[in-house]
Amino acid sequence: MNEQRSTNIKRIYFVGFPFGIGTVLGILGVVVFQNFVPQNEYGTHFVAQGGVEATSTNGTSSISSVRTGDGGQFQEIFKHDSIAEQHNALHSTLSQATEHELKNWWLESKTIERNSQREIAQQVILRNLTAKNPREALRRIDETSKLQTDRALEIVFGEWAVIHLEDAIEGAITLKSSQQTVALGAILETRDDLTEAERHTIAMQLSNEDTLLKIESDKKASQNIESPVESWKILLADNVDDVLQADSLTNVAEAWHKQIGFEVLSQIFSEIEDFPTKLQLLRSITQVDPAGALEYSRGLPSEENQSTLSTIIAREWARADPQSALATVSKFAQSNLTWRLEREITKVWARTNPHEMIENVEIISPEHRTIPLERAFMNIAREDPLSAFERLSSVEHLVGNTSTLVESIVREWADQAPETATEWVLENYARESLERQYLLAWTLRSLTRQSPEKAFELAIEQPVPSRGWSLDFYVMREMIWEDEIDLAKRLLPKVSELSKSTVYKDVALALVADGRTSEALELGQDLEESRQRTYYQSVFDSWAGTNPTNLMESLDALPTSTLKSIGAMQLLTRNHRDPVLHEDEIDRAKTFLSPEDKASVKQLEEL
C-alpha cells in the first residue's frame, strides 16, 4: 500500500507541470515549510510514507517531506535575503520532521541547483537526522560534494558526541584516516566537558594524538590572545606541525601585528619553517598595508632576509594590485633588489591578468618589458593563440622586434595543439625563412610526442640550414627522449647528412642504455668509415660507464681487432677516472690495444 501510494505521488508530481518548466520547478520545490503558513490552516498529521493527508476542516493538503505540484517550497525558503534567515527557516521546519521525512528531504535537497543553497539545506537536514539516527546521517555524508565532506562530518559527529559518545567514537573508527581526524576534532571540540584523561583516551582510540594536542594548544593560544607573544610561543612549542595550525597562527600574528607593527613579519619569516604556512601568515599581514610591509622589509639589516621577504611581499601585493605595487617600486633607487621586485611583480601580473598588463605595459621600464610581455602573450595563447597574435600590433611600437613574443605564443600553442600550430607556421612564413625554421623546431618537437612519424616527415621536407641543426635532429632527439627508440632506429636512413653523425650516436647511446649493445655496434656499420671511429668511441664510452664489467667480459667476442682496441681504450680511460677494474683486468684489457691506442693510454697514465 505504501509503495503504491508513493508511486501515485511521483506520478502526480511529474505530470503537474508542463515538461521543462515543471521539471525545473519540481526539482527546486518539493517541500512545504511550516513556518511560512499559519498553523491553524494546516493539519499536523503527516502520512508516514510521504503521502498527502487532507485535513477534516478545510480540505487543504498537509504535506510530509514530499510535496506535489504546489510551486516548490525550497524556492520559497531561499527567497529570504540573508543566509541567517534561511537557516532559521530550515531549522524551524525540519526540527519537527520524522526520520523518514528527513530522508525524503535529503533526497530532494540533492536536486537543488545552486551549490550554496544545497549545502545550507543539507547541513540542517544532517543535523536533525543525526539527532534521530546518527548512523543513518553518517551514511549520507558520501553523497555530499567533496568540498563539503569535512563540514558534514563536523556536524554529524558534533551532534553524535552529545547524544551517545561511545557510539560516535565507534562510528569514527570506521572512517578512513583523513575523515577520522575531522570526526575526532568535532568530538573533542563538542565534548570539552570531558577530563584530560578521557579526551586523551579517545584520541588514542583513533590513533590521532596530534589532533588532541592541536585542539588543546589552540585553546591555550586563544585564551592568551591578549598577549600574542605568549600565544605564539605556545603554538610553536606544542609539537604540532605548523601546517595543522596555520589558521591559529594567522590569528595570533594578526593580533601581534596590532601591537608591534610590521616587526611581526620578521618573527614569521625567521620562526615558521613550513613555507606554505609562512606564506599564509605573511599574506595576512601584508594585505593590510602592502606598501608599509614592503618599506619595512627593505630596511632589514640582513641583505638576504631583505631580498627574500621583499620579494614575497611584492608578489602578494601584485596579486591584489599590480599597478600600485609597480608604481611604488619604480620610485625606489635603482638596485638589484629594485629590478628583482619589478620582475616578480610583472611576472605575477602577466599570469593573473595578462590583458591588463599588455594594456598598461608602458608603466614597466622599457628595458624590462620584453620578458613580462612574453609571459603575458604566452598566458593568453594558452586559451586563444589567435587572439594573442591579434594583440601583437598593440605593443610593436614599444618593443620594436616582436619575434620573441611570437615565439612565446607558438611555444605555448604547440604544447596545446602541435599540429595546428605547425600548420600555422608553415602557412605564415616563407619556406627559406629562418624564423620559420626556428618556430618549427618548437612545434615539431611537440608534434613528435603526438605523431612522431608525421613530425619526422615534415622535418625532412624542410630546407636544410647552412648552419646549426636540421629539423630532423630535433625530432629524432624528441623520439629518443620519449623512448621511441625502435622507430628512431628505423628512420635513421632518412636523416639529413647534416644531422647524421649526431643522430646515429644519439640512437646508439639510447640502445646501450637499454642494454642493446650489439644493436648499437651493428648500427655503426651504416656510417662512412671516416665517421665510425668517433661513433664507436661514444658507444664504448657509454658502455664502460653503464656496465664496465660487461664490457670487460665482452672484449674478446667483439668482431674486429679495431673494435676490441677502441672498446679496451674507452674502458681503461673510464677506469682511470673512476677505478672499478682489478689489476689483472687492466692488464688483460691492455692486450687488446692497438699500438696507437696503447700509446694514448700510456700518455693518460703518465698525466
Side-chain angles (χ1 to χ4, degrees), residues 276-331:
T277 304
K278 186 198 298 279
L279 198 59
Q280 177 177 326
L281 299 179
L282 293 174
R283 182 181 296 130
S284 72
I285 305 302
T286 297
Q287 64 188 6
V288 177
D289 178 11
L294 188 58
E295 185 64 30
Y296 169 81
S297 65
R298 289 177 62 240
L300 292 174
S302 166
E303 288 189 9
E304 182 180 356
N305 291 350
Q306 180 189 117
S307 177
T308 306
L309 186 54
S310 295
T311 300
I312 293 172
I313 292 169
R315 285 180 191 147
E316 295 307 313
W317 193 0
R319 286 186 176 88
D321 189 353
Q323 295 192 57
S324 294
L326 200 58
T328 298
V329 169
S330 66
K331 296 174 184 176

Short mmCIF file of all heavy atoms in Angstrom, two decimals, residues 276-331:
data_model
loop_
_atom_site.label_atom_id
_atom_site.label_comp_id
_atom_site.label_asym_id
_atom_site.label_seq_id
_atom_site.Cartn_x
_atom_site.Cartn_y
_atom_site.Cartn_z
N PRO A 276 54.43 27.03 2.96
CA PRO A 276 53.04 27.45 2.70
C PRO A 276 52.42 28.16 3.91
O PRO A 276 51.67 29.12 3.75
CB PRO A 276 52.32 26.13 2.39
CG PRO A 276 53.39 25.24 1.85
CD PRO A 276 54.62 25.59 2.65
N THR A 277 52.73 27.68 5.12
CA THR A 277 52.22 28.34 6.32
C THR A 277 52.85 29.72 6.47
O THR A 277 52.17 30.70 6.79
CB THR A 277 52.52 27.49 7.57
OG1 THR A 277 51.97 26.19 7.40
CG2 THR A 277 51.93 28.13 8.81
N LYS A 278 54.16 29.80 6.25
CA LYS A 278 54.85 31.09 6.30
C LYS A 278 54.20 32.08 5.33
O LYS A 278 53.94 33.24 5.67
CB LYS A 278 56.33 30.89 5.93
CG LYS A 278 57.20 32.16 6.10
CD LYS A 278 58.49 32.01 5.32
CE LYS A 278 59.36 30.87 5.78
NZ LYS A 278 60.17 31.21 6.98
N LEU A 279 53.90 31.58 4.12
CA LEU A 279 53.30 32.44 3.09
C LEU A 279 51.91 32.91 3.51
O LEU A 279 51.55 34.08 3.31
CB LEU A 279 53.23 31.67 1.77
CG LEU A 279 53.04 32.48 0.49
CD1 LEU A 279 54.17 33.47 0.32
CD2 LEU A 279 52.96 31.55 -0.71
N GLN A 280 51.14 32.02 4.10
CA GLN A 280 49.79 32.39 4.56
C GLN A 280 49.86 33.49 5.61
O GLN A 280 49.08 34.46 5.57
CB GLN A 280 49.06 31.17 5.13
CG GLN A 280 47.67 31.51 5.68
CD GLN A 280 46.93 30.27 6.18
OE1 GLN A 280 47.08 29.20 5.63
NE2 GLN A 280 46.14 30.44 7.23
N LEU A 281 50.78 33.36 6.55
CA LEU A 281 50.91 34.36 7.61
C LEU A 281 51.41 35.70 7.05
O LEU A 281 50.88 36.76 7.40
CB LEU A 281 51.88 33.85 8.68
CG LEU A 281 51.49 32.57 9.41
CD1 LEU A 281 52.55 32.18 10.42
CD2 LEU A 281 50.15 32.71 10.09
N LEU A 282 52.40 35.65 6.21
CA LEU A 282 52.91 36.89 5.62
C LEU A 282 51.85 37.58 4.80
O LEU A 282 51.73 38.81 4.81
CB LEU A 282 54.14 36.58 4.75
CG LEU A 282 55.39 36.10 5.48
CD1 LEU A 282 56.47 35.70 4.49
CD2 LEU A 282 55.92 37.17 6.43
N ARG A 283 51.07 36.77 4.08
CA ARG A 283 49.99 37.35 3.26
C ARG A 283 48.96 38.06 4.14
O ARG A 283 48.48 39.14 3.80
CB ARG A 283 49.32 36.26 2.43
CG ARG A 283 48.21 36.75 1.51
CD ARG A 283 47.59 35.60 0.75
NE ARG A 283 48.55 34.97 -0.13
CZ ARG A 283 48.77 33.67 -0.18
NH1 ARG A 283 48.11 32.84 0.63
NH2 ARG A 283 49.66 33.16 -1.03
N SER A 284 48.62 37.46 5.27
CA SER A 284 47.60 38.04 6.14
C SER A 284 48.03 39.40 6.68
O SER A 284 47.21 40.30 6.88
CB SER A 284 47.28 37.09 7.30
OG SER A 284 48.34 37.04 8.23
N ILE A 285 49.33 39.57 6.94
CA ILE A 285 49.85 40.85 7.45
C ILE A 285 50.05 41.84 6.31
O ILE A 285 49.71 43.02 6.41
CB ILE A 285 51.18 40.64 8.21
CG1 ILE A 285 51.01 39.61 9.33
CG2 ILE A 285 51.69 41.96 8.75
CD1 ILE A 285 49.94 39.95 10.34
N THR A 286 50.57 41.35 5.19
CA THR A 286 50.90 42.22 4.07
C THR A 286 49.66 42.89 3.48
O THR A 286 49.70 44.06 3.11
CB THR A 286 51.61 41.41 2.97
OG1 THR A 286 52.84 40.91 3.49
CG2 THR A 286 51.88 42.25 1.74
N GLN A 287 48.57 42.15 3.37
CA GLN A 287 47.40 42.68 2.67
C GLN A 287 46.78 43.88 3.38
O GLN A 287 46.06 44.66 2.78
CB GLN A 287 46.36 41.57 2.50
CG GLN A 287 45.78 41.03 3.79
CD GLN A 287 44.90 39.81 3.57
OE1 GLN A 287 44.81 39.30 2.46
NE2 GLN A 287 44.25 39.34 4.63
N VAL A 288 47.08 44.06 4.67
CA VAL A 288 46.56 45.22 5.40
C VAL A 288 47.19 46.50 4.87
O VAL A 288 46.51 47.51 4.66
CB VAL A 288 46.85 45.08 6.91
CG1 VAL A 288 46.37 46.31 7.66
CG2 VAL A 288 46.18 43.83 7.45
N ASP A 289 48.48 46.50 4.65
CA ASP A 289 49.21 47.68 4.17
C ASP A 289 50.45 47.20 3.42
O ASP A 289 51.55 47.19 3.96
CB ASP A 289 49.59 48.57 5.35
CG ASP A 289 50.40 49.80 4.92
OD1 ASP A 289 50.48 50.06 3.70
OD2 ASP A 289 50.94 50.48 5.82
N PRO A 290 50.30 46.78 2.17
CA PRO A 290 51.44 46.22 1.44
C PRO A 290 52.59 47.20 1.27
O PRO A 290 53.76 46.80 1.32
CB PRO A 290 50.84 45.81 0.09
CG PRO A 290 49.53 46.53 0.00
CD PRO A 290 49.06 46.73 1.39
N ALA A 291 52.29 48.47 1.08
CA ALA A 291 53.37 49.46 0.93
C ALA A 291 54.18 49.55 2.22
O ALA A 291 55.42 49.61 2.18
CB ALA A 291 52.77 50.82 0.57
N GLY A 292 53.50 49.57 3.36
CA GLY A 292 54.20 49.62 4.64
C GLY A 292 55.02 48.37 4.88
O GLY A 292 56.14 48.43 5.41
N ALA A 293 54.45 47.21 4.52
CA ALA A 293 55.17 45.94 4.70
C ALA A 293 56.43 45.91 3.85
O ALA A 293 57.49 45.47 4.31
CB ALA A 293 54.26 44.77 4.33
N LEU A 294 56.33 46.40 2.61
CA LEU A 294 57.49 46.41 1.72
C LEU A 294 58.55 47.38 2.22
O LEU A 294 59.75 47.09 2.17
CB LEU A 294 57.05 46.77 0.30
CG LEU A 294 58.10 46.65 -0.79
CD1 LEU A 294 58.65 45.23 -0.86
CD2 LEU A 294 57.52 47.05 -2.15
N GLU A 295 58.11 48.52 2.70
CA GLU A 295 59.06 49.51 3.23
C GLU A 295 59.82 48.93 4.43
O GLU A 295 61.03 49.12 4.56
CB GLU A 295 58.31 50.77 3.65
CG GLU A 295 59.20 51.91 4.10
CD GLU A 295 60.11 52.43 2.99
OE1 GLU A 295 59.72 52.35 1.80
OE2 GLU A 295 61.22 52.89 3.31
N TYR A 296 59.10 48.21 5.28
CA TYR A 296 59.75 47.59 6.43
C TYR A 296 60.79 46.55 5.98
O TYR A 296 61.93 46.53 6.46
CB TYR A 296 58.72 46.91 7.34
CG TYR A 296 59.34 46.03 8.39
CD1 TYR A 296 59.85 46.57 9.56
CD2 TYR A 296 59.44 44.65 8.20
CE1 TYR A 296 60.46 45.77 10.53
CE2 TYR A 296 60.04 43.84 9.15
CZ TYR A 296 60.54 44.40 10.31
OH TYR A 296 61.15 43.61 11.24
N SER A 297 60.39 45.69 5.07
CA SER A 297 61.29 44.60 4.65
C SER A 297 62.55 45.13 3.97
O SER A 297 63.62 44.54 4.12
CB SER A 297 60.55 43.63 3.72
OG SER A 297 60.18 44.28 2.50
N ARG A 298 62.44 46.23 3.25
CA ARG A 298 63.60 46.81 2.58
C ARG A 298 64.60 47.40 3.56
O ARG A 298 65.77 47.61 3.23
CB ARG A 298 63.16 47.88 1.59
CG ARG A 298 62.44 47.33 0.37
CD ARG A 298 61.96 48.46 -0.55
NE ARG A 298 63.07 49.24 -1.06
CZ ARG A 298 63.23 50.56 -0.86
NH1 ARG A 298 62.35 51.23 -0.12
NH2 ARG A 298 64.25 51.20 -1.37
N GLY A 299 64.15 47.64 4.79
CA GLY A 299 65.04 48.22 5.79
C GLY A 299 65.71 47.21 6.69
O GLY A 299 66.44 47.59 7.61
N LEU A 300 65.48 45.91 6.44
CA LEU A 300 66.09 44.89 7.28
C LEU A 300 67.61 44.89 7.12
O LEU A 300 68.13 45.08 6.02
CB LEU A 300 65.53 43.51 6.92
CG LEU A 300 64.06 43.27 7.27
CD1 LEU A 300 63.59 41.93 6.72
CD2 LEU A 300 63.84 43.32 8.78
N PRO A 301 68.36 44.65 8.21
CA PRO A 301 69.83 44.71 8.13
C PRO A 301 70.44 43.59 7.29
O PRO A 301 71.46 43.79 6.64
CB PRO A 301 70.25 44.59 9.60
CG PRO A 301 69.09 43.97 10.30
CD PRO A 301 67.87 44.43 9.58
N SER A 302 69.81 42.42 7.31
CA SER A 302 70.34 41.29 6.53
C SER A 302 69.89 41.42 5.08
O SER A 302 68.69 41.46 4.79
CB SER A 302 69.85 39.96 7.11
OG SER A 302 70.08 38.91 6.20
N GLU A 303 70.85 41.47 4.17
CA GLU A 303 70.51 41.60 2.75
C GLU A 303 69.73 40.40 2.24
O GLU A 303 68.82 40.53 1.43
CB GLU A 303 71.78 41.78 1.91
CG GLU A 303 72.43 43.14 2.07
CD GLU A 303 73.53 43.35 1.06
OE1 GLU A 303 73.67 42.51 0.14
OE2 GLU A 303 74.27 44.35 1.19
N GLU A 304 70.08 39.22 2.75
CA GLU A 304 69.37 38.01 2.33
C GLU A 304 67.91 38.06 2.78
O GLU A 304 67.00 37.80 1.98
CB GLU A 304 70.06 36.77 2.90
CG GLU A 304 69.39 35.46 2.47
CD GLU A 304 70.08 34.24 3.04
OE1 GLU A 304 71.13 34.40 3.71
OE2 GLU A 304 69.57 33.13 2.83
N ASN A 305 67.68 38.39 4.05
CA ASN A 305 66.32 38.49 4.56
C ASN A 305 65.56 39.62 3.86
O ASN A 305 64.38 39.49 3.54
CB ASN A 305 66.32 38.74 6.07
CG ASN A 305 66.80 37.53 6.84
OD1 ASN A 305 66.96 36.44 6.28
ND2 ASN A 305 67.05 37.71 8.13
N GLN A 306 66.26 40.72 3.64
CA GLN A 306 65.66 41.86 2.96
C GLN A 306 65.17 41.46 1.57
O GLN A 306 64.04 41.75 1.19
CB GLN A 306 66.70 42.98 2.85
CG GLN A 306 66.22 44.23 2.16
CD GLN A 306 67.37 45.20 1.92
OE1 GLN A 306 67.70 45.50 0.78
NE2 GLN A 306 67.99 45.68 2.99
N SER A 307 66.01 40.78 0.83
CA SER A 307 65.67 40.39 -0.55
C SER A 307 64.54 39.37 -0.58
O SER A 307 63.56 39.54 -1.33
CB SER A 307 66.91 39.82 -1.24
OG SER A 307 66.60 39.37 -2.54
N THR A 308 64.66 38.33 0.24
CA THR A 308 63.65 37.25 0.21
C THR A 308 62.30 37.74 0.68
O THR A 308 61.27 37.48 0.04
CB THR A 308 64.11 36.06 1.07
OG1 THR A 308 65.40 35.64 0.66
CG2 THR A 308 63.14 34.91 0.94
N LEU A 309 62.26 38.44 1.80
CA LEU A 309 60.99 38.90 2.35
C LEU A 309 60.36 39.96 1.44
O LEU A 309 59.14 39.94 1.22
CB LEU A 309 61.21 39.47 3.76
CG LEU A 309 59.95 39.87 4.53
CD1 LEU A 309 58.96 38.71 4.60
CD2 LEU A 309 60.32 40.33 5.94
N SER A 310 61.17 40.87 0.91
CA SER A 310 60.64 41.88 0.00
C SER A 310 60.02 41.25 -1.24
O SER A 310 58.98 41.69 -1.73
CB SER A 310 61.75 42.85 -0.42
OG SER A 310 62.23 43.58 0.67
N THR A 311 60.65 40.20 -1.74
CA THR A 311 60.14 39.51 -2.92
C THR A 311 58.79 38.86 -2.64
O THR A 311 57.86 38.96 -3.45
CB THR A 311 61.15 38.44 -3.39
OG1 THR A 311 62.39 39.07 -3.71
CG2 THR A 311 60.62 37.71 -4.62
N ILE A 312 58.68 38.20 -1.49
CA ILE A 312 57.40 37.57 -1.13
C ILE A 312 56.30 38.61 -1.02
O ILE A 312 55.18 38.43 -1.53
CB ILE A 312 57.54 36.79 0.20
CG1 ILE A 312 58.47 35.58 0.01
CG2 ILE A 312 56.18 36.34 0.71
CD1 ILE A 312 58.82 34.88 1.32
N ILE A 313 56.61 39.73 -0.36
CA ILE A 313 55.61 40.79 -0.17
C ILE A 313 55.21 41.38 -1.52
O ILE A 313 54.02 41.63 -1.78
CB ILE A 313 56.17 41.88 0.76
CG1 ILE A 313 56.32 41.31 2.18
CG2 ILE A 313 55.27 43.11 0.77
CD1 ILE A 313 57.09 42.21 3.12
N ALA A 314 56.20 41.62 -2.38
CA ALA A 314 55.89 42.19 -3.71
C ALA A 314 54.99 41.26 -4.51
O ALA A 314 54.07 41.73 -5.20
CB ALA A 314 57.20 42.45 -4.46
N ARG A 315 55.23 39.96 -4.43
CA ARG A 315 54.38 39.00 -5.15
C ARG A 315 52.94 39.05 -4.63
O ARG A 315 51.99 39.04 -5.42
CB ARG A 315 54.92 37.58 -4.98
CG ARG A 315 56.17 37.26 -5.78
CD ARG A 315 56.59 35.84 -5.50
NE ARG A 315 57.90 35.53 -6.02
CZ ARG A 315 58.74 34.68 -5.43
NH1 ARG A 315 58.39 34.09 -4.30
NH2 ARG A 315 59.92 34.43 -5.96
N GLU A 316 52.81 39.09 -3.32
CA GLU A 316 51.47 39.13 -2.74
C GLU A 316 50.74 40.41 -3.11
O GLU A 316 49.55 40.40 -3.42
CB GLU A 316 51.55 38.98 -1.21
CG GLU A 316 52.08 37.63 -0.75
CD GLU A 316 51.31 36.48 -1.36
OE1 GLU A 316 50.07 36.52 -1.36
OE2 GLU A 316 51.96 35.54 -1.86
N TRP A 317 51.45 41.51 -3.09
CA TRP A 317 50.86 42.79 -3.48
C TRP A 317 50.44 42.75 -4.94
O TRP A 317 49.37 43.25 -5.32
CB TRP A 317 51.86 43.90 -3.22
CG TRP A 317 51.28 45.30 -3.27
CD1 TRP A 317 49.97 45.65 -3.52
CD2 TRP A 317 51.98 46.52 -3.05
NE1 TRP A 317 49.83 47.01 -3.47
CE2 TRP A 317 51.04 47.58 -3.18
CE3 TRP A 317 53.30 46.83 -2.75
CZ2 TRP A 317 51.40 48.92 -3.03
CZ3 TRP A 317 53.66 48.16 -2.59
CH2 TRP A 317 52.72 49.19 -2.72
N ALA A 318 51.27 42.14 -5.77
CA ALA A 318 50.98 42.07 -7.21
C ALA A 318 49.71 41.28 -7.49
O ALA A 318 49.02 41.54 -8.47
CB ALA A 318 52.16 41.46 -7.96
N ARG A 319 49.40 40.31 -6.65
CA ARG A 319 48.17 39.54 -6.84
C ARG A 319 46.94 40.42 -6.63
O ARG A 319 45.91 40.22 -7.26
CB ARG A 319 48.14 38.34 -5.89
CG ARG A 319 49.07 37.22 -6.29
CD ARG A 319 48.89 36.00 -5.39
NE ARG A 319 49.72 34.90 -5.85
CZ ARG A 319 50.97 34.70 -5.48
NH1 ARG A 319 51.53 35.52 -4.61
NH2 ARG A 319 51.67 33.68 -5.94
N ALA A 320 47.05 41.38 -5.72
CA ALA A 320 45.91 42.23 -5.40
C ALA A 320 45.87 43.49 -6.24
O ALA A 320 44.80 43.88 -6.74
CB ALA A 320 45.96 42.61 -3.91
N ASP A 321 47.03 44.14 -6.43
CA ASP A 321 47.05 45.43 -7.14
C ASP A 321 48.41 45.62 -7.80
O ASP A 321 49.26 46.37 -7.28
CB ASP A 321 46.75 46.56 -6.16
CG ASP A 321 46.54 47.90 -6.85
OD1 ASP A 321 46.76 47.99 -8.07
OD2 ASP A 321 46.15 48.86 -6.16
N PRO A 322 48.65 44.98 -8.93
CA PRO A 322 49.98 45.05 -9.55
C PRO A 322 50.40 46.46 -9.96
O PRO A 322 51.58 46.81 -9.89
CB PRO A 322 49.85 44.13 -10.77
CG PRO A 322 48.38 44.03 -11.03
CD PRO A 322 47.72 44.14 -9.70
N GLN A 323 49.46 47.29 -10.38
CA GLN A 323 49.83 48.63 -10.82
C GLN A 323 50.34 49.48 -9.66
O GLN A 323 51.33 50.21 -9.79
CB GLN A 323 48.64 49.30 -11.51
CG GLN A 323 48.23 48.59 -12.80
CD GLN A 323 47.26 49.40 -13.62
OE1 GLN A 323 47.53 50.53 -13.99
NE2 GLN A 323 46.10 48.82 -13.93
N SER A 324 49.67 49.39 -8.52
CA SER A 324 50.14 50.14 -7.35
C SER A 324 51.49 49.61 -6.89
O SER A 324 52.38 50.40 -6.50
CB SER A 324 49.12 50.03 -6.21
OG SER A 324 47.91 50.67 -6.56
N ALA A 325 51.64 48.29 -6.89
CA ALA A 325 52.91 47.70 -6.48
C ALA A 325 54.03 48.18 -7.38
O ALA A 325 55.12 48.57 -6.91
CB ALA A 325 52.80 46.18 -6.52
N LEU A 326 53.79 48.17 -8.68
CA LEU A 326 54.81 48.57 -9.64
C LEU A 326 55.12 50.06 -9.52
O LEU A 326 56.29 50.48 -9.60
CB LEU A 326 54.33 48.24 -11.05
CG LEU A 326 55.39 48.14 -12.15
CD1 LEU A 326 56.43 47.09 -11.79
CD2 LEU A 326 54.72 47.78 -13.47
N ALA A 327 54.09 50.88 -9.31
CA ALA A 327 54.30 52.32 -9.17
C ALA A 327 55.16 52.63 -7.96
O ALA A 327 56.03 53.50 -8.00
CB ALA A 327 52.94 53.02 -9.06
N THR A 328 54.93 51.89 -6.88
CA THR A 328 55.72 52.11 -5.67
C THR A 328 57.17 51.69 -5.87
O THR A 328 58.10 52.42 -5.53
CB THR A 328 55.11 51.33 -4.49
OG1 THR A 328 53.79 51.81 -4.24
CG2 THR A 328 55.94 51.48 -3.23
N VAL A 329 57.37 50.52 -6.44
CA VAL A 329 58.73 50.00 -6.63
C VAL A 329 59.52 50.88 -7.60
O VAL A 329 60.74 51.05 -7.44
CB VAL A 329 58.67 48.54 -7.13
CG1 VAL A 329 60.04 48.05 -7.59
CG2 VAL A 329 58.13 47.63 -6.04
N SER A 330 58.85 51.45 -8.59
CA SER A 330 59.54 52.27 -9.59
C SER A 330 60.15 53.53 -8.98
O SER A 330 61.05 54.14 -9.56
CB SER A 330 58.58 52.66 -10.72
OG SER A 330 57.56 53.51 -10.23
N LYS A 331 59.69 53.90 -7.79
CA LYS A 331 60.21 55.09 -7.12
C LYS A 331 61.45 54.78 -6.28
O LYS A 331 62.12 55.70 -5.79
CB LYS A 331 59.14 55.71 -6.23
CG LYS A 331 57.92 56.22 -7.00
CD LYS A 331 56.83 56.68 -6.04
CE LYS A 331 55.57 57.09 -6.81
NZ LYS A 331 54.46 57.44 -5.89
#
